[in-house]
Amino acid sequence: STIAGVTSAIQTYDSSYSATYYPWVKIFDSENNKNVWVPPSVVIPGVISFTDKIAHPWFAPAGIRRGGITNASSTGYIDAEGEFVSIALNEGQRDTLYAQNVNPITFITGAGLVAYGQKTRARGASALDRINVSRLVIYLRSQLNQLAKPYIFEPNDKITRDEIKGAAASLILE
């Protein structure tokens, strides 16, 4: 089946810095005045950007509130002959994909097309197998890197350590 092909093709990829979505989506190309089928990588950055706009990087870019794909009208895949086949994932297919760390894109009545998962490609079970946690870690690394720059070449004493600790605590408690 198509779902089995998708999941078996990507099972070996292991990274908490990437995510996989399925299926492809149909969007309107206003420049050429026609519908085109594109991989999910075309629309998912918009979902993540929207999440950052209304929430924070550590919120899940998924579900009805933050996972809406407003610039797409349907989902499907390209068959062996290069033809597009329109599909709507059922609950069993969504569950099968999600169990293999593939985030399904599905139609939810009243909400439209939605990114319905937020797993990374990390194979091992950990906090980093979720997009929001990985993005939180990236955010904190960046902020802590900036916060620590003034302390480079300062003495490694209690005063310096207390200043760094206080600055880090204020970042976390913001």
Side-chain angles (χ1 to χ4, degrees):
S1 93
T2 304
I3 301 300
V6 168
T7 58
S8 67
I10 58 166
Q11 285 180 341
T12 59
Y13 191 69
D14 182 10
S15 172
S16 63
Y17 293 104
S18 65
T20 303
Y21 291 81
Y22 179 84
W24 281 39
V25 296
K26 180 169 76 171
I27 64 171
F28 183 72
D29 177 1
S30 60
E31 191 170 308
N32 295 307
N33 202 31
K34 66 178 183 176
N35 288 318
V36 294
W37 295 99
V38 297
S41 59
V42 172
V43 296
I44 294 303
V47 172
I48 294 170
S49 176
F50 178 74
T51 297
D52 289 353
K53 180 179 177 183
I54 67 163
H56 299 283
W58 51 89
F59 279 66
I64 293 172
R65 290 188 178 181
R66 292 176 304 278
I69 302 171
T70 58
N71 58 339
S73 58
S74 62
T75 59
Y77 64 94
I78 298 174
D79 66 14
E81 287 78 38
E83 297 295 319
F84 194 84
V85 178
S86 190
I87 62 165
L89 298 176
N90 62 40
E91 187 175 347
Q93 291 168 323
R94 290 192 316 252
D95 292 348
T96 299
L97 288 167
Y98 204 64
Q100 297 299 316
N101 295 354
V102 177
N103 298 303
I105 296 174
T106 192
F107 181 82
I108 304 289
T109 303
L113 288 177
V114 173
Y116 209 65
Q118 66 136 356
K119 283 193 175 182
T120 66
R121 292 299 308 154
R123 281 195 276 156
S126 78
L128 293 175
D129 68 0
R130 298 289 189 264
I131 291 170
N132 66 320
V133 176
S134 288
R135 294 188 73 224
L136 171 61
V137 168
I138 291 166
Y139 172 80
L140 287 174
R141 281 182 185 156
S142 170
Q143 295 300 308
L144 290 170
N145 185 40
Q146 289 299 105
L147 179 140
K149 282 183 180 178
Y151 299 101
I152 295 174
F153 304 114
E154 292 300 314
N156 183 4
D157 60 18
K158 182 168 176 25
I159 295 169
T160 303
R161 289 190 300 272
D162 285 347
E163 286 180 15
I164 293 171
K165 183 178 174 183
S170 69
L171 169 68
I172 301 297
L173 298 175
E174 281 183 351

